[in-house]
Amino acid sequence: VAVCIHGLSTSSYVWRGMAKGLALLGFRVLVYDHYGRGLSDTVAGKQDGPFFVQHLTDLLAHEQVDEPLTVLGYSMGGAIAAHFAATYPSKIKQLILLAPAGMQPIADAKMRAILNWPVIGDWLFLLVYPFILRKGIAAEADLPGSVEGINALQQAETDRRGYFPAMLSSLRGVLRHPAKEQHIAIAQAGIPVLCVWAEEDDVIALSGKETLTKWNPRAKQFVVREAGHGLTYTHTDQVLEAIRASRG
């Protein structure tokens, strides 16, 4: 079973192209939406590491999945996957990280200030960030990819009630600090790790590759040339080839 964990601003649709390829590699594929995104409910509470680990644990119990897992985490999903693997190392057959968050602290000084101000920060985030995100989505309208209509899906998601508060909660939670402790625990547990980076990623810095090497020298790492942050759907075949090669 391959469990696919999406990122901060996307929902499970981001995996549609990858899921088909994973099925052809012999996986049964499980995709799901984080709370406040896609088809999942909007719930209260800080969306930190334990929050996301419990969500996935509950889902696996509901689906009666109890075999060793290949867990794929994209962007923020990479940080969540690291938290889950460090919490339940015996459940993991392989960890696959795609342009993963969790290697560096949040660099933008304005975003750090917003996260540190519980009330004023909320107002500023909800005032400014929707415009920034929608503009960024529009700028990628012509990108080719393996998910039909992904740009429209992304734009529609931004109109969902509770979507931006859920993002802010995740930024204050699981994305607030690097996942150094989790990656060191993963290395100590001997879990096989494949990390696929995007050469031209303007969201997750490629320098995270060196950070992961320090935390887990045995992790296999691969860089997709000329790819941006959306590599799961813009460079699906290259990512799948890296996964196939890592399995021998």
Coordinates of all heavy atoms in Angstrom, one line a residue, residues 103-113 115 171 175-178 202-205 207:
M103 N 12.8 20.9 6.3 CA 14.3 20.9 6.4 C 14.8 22.2 6.9 O 15.9 22.3 7.5 CB 14.9 20.7 4.9 CG 14.4 19.4 4.3 SD 14.9 18.0 5.2 CE 13.8 16.8 4.5
Q104 N 14.1 23.3 6.8 CA 14.5 24.6 7.2 C 13.3 25.3 7.9 O 12.2 25.0 7.7 CB 15.0 25.5 6.1 CG 16.1 24.9 5.3 CD 15.7 24.4 3.9 OE1 14.5 24.3 3.7 NE2 16.7 24.1 3.1
P105 N 13.7 26.2 8.9 CA 12.6 27.1 9.4 C 12.0 28.0 8.4 O 12.6 28.2 7.3 CB 13.3 27.8 10.6 CG 14.7 27.9 10.1 CD 15.0 26.6 9.4
I106 N 10.9 28.6 8.7 CA 10.3 29.5 7.7 C 11.2 30.7 7.6 O 11.5 31.4 8.6 CB 8.8 29.9 8.2 CG1 7.9 28.7 8.2 CG2 8.3 31.0 7.4 CD1 6.6 28.9 8.8
A107 N 11.6 31.0 6.4 CA 12.6 32.1 6.2 C 12.0 33.5 6.1 O 12.7 34.4 6.5 CB 13.4 31.8 4.9
D108 N 10.8 33.6 5.6 CA 10.2 34.9 5.4 C 9.9 35.6 6.7 O 9.1 35.1 7.5 CB 9.0 34.8 4.5 CG 8.4 36.2 4.2 OD1 8.9 36.8 3.2 OD2 7.5 36.6 4.9
A109 N 10.5 36.8 6.9 CA 10.4 37.5 8.2 C 8.9 37.9 8.4 O 8.4 37.9 9.6 CB 11.3 38.7 8.2
K110 N 8.2 38.4 7.4 CA 6.8 38.8 7.5 C 5.9 37.6 7.9 O 5.1 37.8 8.7 CB 6.4 39.4 6.2 CG 7.0 40.7 5.8 CD 6.5 41.3 4.5 CE 7.2 42.6 4.1 NZ 6.8 43.1 2.8
M111 N 6.2 36.4 7.3 CA 5.4 35.3 7.7 C 5.7 34.9 9.1 O 4.7 34.5 9.8 CB 5.7 34.1 6.7 CG 4.9 32.9 7.0 SD 3.1 33.1 6.9 CE 2.9 33.3 5.1
R112 N 6.9 34.9 9.5 CA 7.2 34.6 10.9 C 6.5 35.5 11.9 O 6.0 35.1 12.9 CB 8.7 34.7 11.2 CG 9.5 33.6 10.5 CD 10.9 33.4 11.2 NE 11.6 34.7 11.3 CZ 12.5 35.1 10.3 NH1 12.7 34.4 9.2 NH2 13.1 36.2 10.5
A113 N 6.4 36.8 11.5 CA 5.7 37.8 12.4 C 4.2 37.4 12.5 O 3.6 37.5 13.5 CB 5.9 39.2 11.9
L115 N 2.9 34.6 12.1 CA 2.7 33.3 12.9 C 2.8 33.6 14.4 O 2.2 32.9 15.2 CB 3.7 32.3 12.5 CG 3.6 31.8 11.0 CD1 4.6 30.7 10.7 CD2 2.2 31.4 10.6
L171 N 0.7 26.1 9.2 CA 1.9 26.9 9.3 C 2.3 27.2 10.7 O 3.5 27.1 11.0 CB 1.7 28.3 8.6 CG 1.6 28.2 7.0 CD1 1.0 29.5 6.5 CD2 3.0 28.1 6.5
L175 N 4.5 23.1 10.3 CA 5.6 23.7 9.5 C 6.4 24.8 10.3 O 7.3 25.4 9.8 CB 4.9 24.4 8.3 CG 4.3 23.5 7.3 CD1 3.7 24.3 6.2 CD2 5.4 22.6 6.7
R176 N 6.0 25.0 11.6 CA 6.6 26.0 12.4 C 8.1 25.8 12.6 O 9.0 26.7 12.6 CB 5.9 26.1 13.7 CG 6.3 27.3 14.6 CD 5.8 28.6 14.0 NE 6.1 29.8 14.8 CZ 5.2 30.2 15.7 NH1 4.1 29.5 15.9 NH2 5.5 31.3 16.4
H177 N 8.5 24.5 12.8 CA 9.9 24.1 13.1 C 10.3 23.0 12.2 O 9.5 22.2 11.8 CB 10.0 23.7 14.6 CG 9.5 24.8 15.5 ND1 10.2 25.9 15.7 CD2 8.4 24.8 16.3 CE1 9.6 26.6 16.6 NE2 8.5 26.0 17.0
P178 N 11.6 22.9 11.9 CA 12.2 21.8 11.1 C 11.9 20.5 11.7 O 11.8 20.4 13.0 CB 13.7 22.2 11.0 CG 13.8 23.6 11.2 CD 12.7 23.9 12.2
D202 N 10.9 27.2 -6.2 CA 11.0 28.5 -5.5 C 10.2 28.5 -4.2 O 9.9 29.6 -3.6 CB 10.5 29.6 -6.4 CG 9.1 29.4 -6.9 OD1 8.4 28.4 -6.5 OD2 8.5 30.2 -7.7
V203 N 9.7 27.3 -3.8 CA 9.0 27.2 -2.5 C 9.8 26.5 -1.5 O 10.0 26.9 -0.3 CB 7.7 26.4 -2.7 CG1 6.9 26.2 -1.4 CG2 6.8 27.2 -3.7
I204 N 10.4 25.3 -1.8 CA 11.2 24.5 -1.0 C 12.6 24.6 -1.5 O 12.9 24.0 -2.6 CB 10.8 23.0 -0.9 CG1 9.3 23.0 -0.3 CG2 11.7 22.2 0.0 CD1 9.1 23.5 1.1
A205 N 13.5 25.2 -0.8 CA 14.9 25.4 -1.3 C 15.6 24.1 -1.5 O 15.6 23.1 -0.7 CB 15.7 26.2 -0.4
S207 N 18.6 23.6 -1.2 CA 19.6 23.4 -0.1 C 19.2 22.4 0.9 O 20.0 21.9 1.7 CB 19.9 24.8 0.5 OG 18.8 25.4 1.1

